[in-house]
Amino acid sequence: MTDSLIHLHGVTAGYESVPVIEDVSLEMPSGEFLGLVGPNGGGKSTLLRVVLGLLEPWAGEVSVLGRTPTRARRDIGYVPQYAMFSRRFPISVRDVVRTGRLGRTRPVFGYRRRDKAVVDWALSTVGVEGLAERPIGTLSGGQFQRALIARALACEPKLLILDEPTANVDPGAESHLFDLLAELNREMGIVVVSHDVGFISGYVHRVACLNRTLVCHTTAALTPEVIESLYGHPVSAVQHASEV
Amino acid sequence: MSFLGALSEHGFLQLALLGGVLASIGCGLIGPYVVVRRIGYLAGGIAHASMGGMGVAYYYGHEPLIGALVSAVLAAMAVGWVSLRWSEQEDMLIGALWAVGMAVGILFMSQASGYNVDLMSYLFGNILMVTGADLYLMLGLDALMLGLIALFYKQFQAVCFDEEFARLRGVPVTAFYLLLLGMVALAIVLLIQVVGLILVIALITLPAAMAGHWMRSLLGMMLLSALVAVVATSGGLAAAFAPDLPAGATIVLITAALYLLSLAARQFTTGRRAAR
């Protein structure tokens, strides 16, 4: 259990009186690239909030990196949905990425030299070092997404969590993005949250399907019938000849 | 007599000019945060609620600005608490605080002598009445704000840009939000002497919004909006002097005119860039 990146056992959580997720159990071994899929309203964001320690579950056990979520936070790199941001905020790409150093740098005054080194590394890892001084509002969707990943990498995470990284990103940028994640997966565990089952299954090791309750599939077992039962109605999904 | 001639002759004008500069520094430091966090309405509520403390201090014969300082900081904490806990009724509750603070202030002031003259100067400012002691208070408030921002610039930036991410990085987001509102309260007290509490909101938001047209960082916005505020307060003081106009109102109208000019220039330059 201490080797697990994420350990959930019988987790139930929600808002007010309605449970959004119920009796969810999940074991994510280190080094895994996990896809978390499900229909909108199926509880993906709620589960994410529980794992990040932003929402206290009603019942069940949660541990992340062998610790409570709140204690594990500093080692988690979180990439939120980029559509939530005001594009007009006066901040450069470099300054956005730097905020990933909070919690690791000194608490007062500016950042340190070591922070600069980590930020430079994060910017070049995702391939936006040439855009570092640009205002964040001038980036394209794919570039913005990469800047947010660089910010998460600046946290020097052991676990990277991405919420709908392919929304608002054109298809070409999408496959580049997953190539980058496959690369990063050599160093850290990755969870990608998506409502797009078809695309994700070509890259991840395992797919966790969440629609109030959670069912895990290896990518090979993800047949159209399984997807249909998850969504409750037929969906058009491409069947991948995925590796086993 | 020309303004410059009068300036070299009259000590009160020199104090007024210095007061305007010190108040402008406060505007420049806090305005950009108010604009990017979109808390202009909250700032308005804090400004008007500060009338309560001012009236109470006035009635008991204490320095009204100290009363304003205490009640503005208390109002900032109340406004912050409301916006965090009861966000659904935020506009109603802040509106109520806004009016109740004014009502308390007016009630207390009406029971003291000299009511009408002094009430007008608190509502609409009287920069010509700035004293040496006021300047020391203003200098202290500026230094306090500057110190806090120098210490925590990166946290304030992170909290304003992405509050949830800042929380995940272990930044005490609520504390920094309340600290930010506390600094808004300090800036309001700085500006009450210059333009009065009703007009305060224009000097906090307009120079910063204007700086936002041209600057690409919070720090850049701070520098430019402080400069704009210095130009507006000094220019307003000079323009109001000869025809004996109310300086506060003149300063606000000059600020608004500068903002509109900047907006037009911004439209013009982006329009040309788009046409290219």
Side-chain angles (χ1 to χ4, degrees):
Chain A
M1 190 198 121
T2 44
D3 282 327
S4 291
L5 294 173
I6 299 176
H7 161 81
L8 302 172
H9 186 77
V11 171
T12 297
Y15 308 95
E16 293 177 19
S17 61
V18 193
V20 181
I21 54 174
E22 234 176 318
D23 196 22
V24 166
S25 297
L26 174 71
E27 210 64 47
M28 180 180 174
S30 69
E32 189 173 46
F33 191 161
L34 178 75
L36 177 64
V37 303
N40 290 326
K44 299 189 298 289
S45 310
T46 305
L47 185 61
L48 217 54
R49 293 181 69 79
V50 168
V51 169
L52 293 169
L54 295 170
L55 182 69
E56 198 63 36
W58 298 351
E61 285 170 31
V62 184
S63 79
V64 182
L65 305 168
R67 288 166 266 168
T68 64
T70 324
R71 283 175 189 277
R73 267 178 196 170
R74 60 182 262 126
D75 292 320
I76 300 176
Y78 175 57
V79 183
Q81 293 186 32
Y82 104 103
M84 318 275 287
F85 289 89
S86 160
R87 311 287 301 224
R88 300 188 55 186
F89 199 95
I91 191 167
S92 68
V93 173
R94 178 183 296 281
D95 280 350
V96 169
V97 175
R98 269 180 181 164
T99 62
R101 297 304 299 160
L102 290 167
R104 296 212 186 266
T105 185
R106 60 179 170 180
V108 294
F109 296 115
Y111 294 94
R112 296 176 191 219
R113 190 173 303 171
R114 178 170 144 65
D115 299 319
K116 186 185 182 309
V118 176
V119 166
D120 284 339
W121 164 79
L123 285 165
S124 64
T125 300
V126 304
V128 296
E129 65 272 40
L131 307 171
E133 313 310 327
R134 289 258 297 270
I136 193 85
T138 62
L139 302 191
S140 71
Q143 291 167 338
F144 199 125
Q145 189 66 60
R146 280 170 179 267
L148 291 182
I149 294 172
R151 179 179 71 165
L153 292 178
C155 307
E156 300 178 279
K158 297 190 170 74
L159 173 64
L160 190 63
I161 300 180
L162 302 94
D163 193 0
E164 299 282 1
T166 56
N168 302 301
V169 171
D170 63 80
E174 206 170 70
S175 62
H176 280 302
L177 182 71
F178 274 91
D179 291 340
L180 168 65
L181 293 179
E183 188 78 22
L184 291 172
N185 185 224
R186 293 186 203 165
E187 314 282 329
M188 62 194 82
I190 298 183
V191 180
V192 170
V193 177
S194 178
H195 64 279
D196 183 1
V197 191
F199 191 81
I200 207 176
S201 56
Y203 288 87
V204 300
H205 303 147
R206 197 159 58 119
V207 174
C209 301
L210 184 65
N211 192 1
R212 203 164 56 86
T213 56
L214 188 93
V215 188
C216 286
H217 303 278
T218 58
T219 43
L222 204 65
T223 63
E225 291 73 30
V226 170
I227 295 167
E228 195 175 318
S229 74
L230 167 73
Y231 279 79
H233 59 83
V235 279
S236 56
V238 187
Q239 209 164 355
H240 297 273
S242 49
E243 78 281 32
V244 181
Chain B
M1 190 191 302
S2 79
F3 176 71
L4 286 178
L7 187 63
S8 60
E9 222 166 274
H10 297 300
F12 73 92
L13 270 186
Q14 294 161 11
L15 291 181
L17 198 68
L18 264 176
V21 170
L22 290 176
S24 298
I25 293 172
C27 291
L29 288 173
I30 201 66
Y33 291 118
V34 172
V35 168
V36 300
R37 266 304 296 248
R38 298 187 187 160
I39 50 173
Y41 183 65
L42 274 63
I46 296 168
H48 287 76
S50 69
M51 181 73 197
M54 212 148 61
V56 171
Y58 184 84
Y59 178 77
Y60 288 106
H62 297 295
E63 174 56 50
L65 269 190
I66 300 297
L69 183 60
V70 172
S71 63
V73 171
L74 288 178
M77 297 305 113
V79 158
W81 193 45
V82 161
S83 78
L84 291 170
R85 281 294 147 98
W86 288 294
S87 52
E88 302 104 275
Q89 292 117 320
E90 181 185 302
D91 59 341
M92 184 275 289
L93 288 169
I94 291 171
L97 187 75
W98 179 310
V100 167
M102 290 287 284
V104 168
I106 290 169
L107 217 59
F108 271 88
M109 287 193 79
S110 71
Q111 297 307 305
S113 55
Y115 162 59
N116 280 323
V117 176
D118 290 338
L119 180 67
M120 284 297 280
S121 79
Y122 295 135
L123 294 183
F124 301 105
N126 196 343
I127 194 171
L128 298 178
M129 300 283 277
V130 170
T131 65
D134 291 338
L135 288 185
Y136 282 112
L137 174 68
M138 295 170 94
L139 194 63
L141 294 178
D142 275 335
L144 181 58
M145 289 167 71
L146 195 63
L148 285 170
I149 290 173
L151 285 173
F152 301 119
Y153 181 81
K154 59 185 189 299
Q155 282 91 344
F156 284 126
Q157 184 187 47
V159 168
C160 289
F161 178 66
D162 185 351
E163 188 177 316
E164 187 180 70
F165 187 83
R167 192 186 299 277
L168 291 174
R169 294 319 300 156
V171 176
V173 168
T174 306
F176 275 106
Y177 182 58
L178 293 176
L179 192 57
L180 201 62
L181 289 173
M183 289 201 297
V184 171
L186 301 187
I188 285 165
V189 174
L190 274 170
L191 287 164
I192 281 177
Q193 278 278 310
V194 176
V195 290
L197 58 88
I198 297 212
L199 305 180
V200 154
I201 199 67
L203 266 187
I204 289 187
T205 55
L206 289 178
M210 183 173 158
H213 293 156
W214 309 104
M215 290 294 163
R216 294 166 161 193
S217 69
L218 281 168
L219 186 63
M221 279 176 77
M222 286 177 190
L223 295 172
L224 182 58
S225 55
L227 189 69
V228 169
V230 168
V231 168
T233 51
S234 313
L237 191 62
F241 180 72
D244 196 20
L245 297 172
T250 311
I251 288 168
V252 167
L253 288 180
I254 287 180
T255 311
L258 289 174
Y259 173 79
L260 287 175
L261 270 178
S262 165
L263 191 65
R266 175 81 183 148
Q267 294 294 341
F268 182 68
T269 53
T270 51
R272 279 198 2 164
R273 207 173 299 153
R276 231 184 285 160

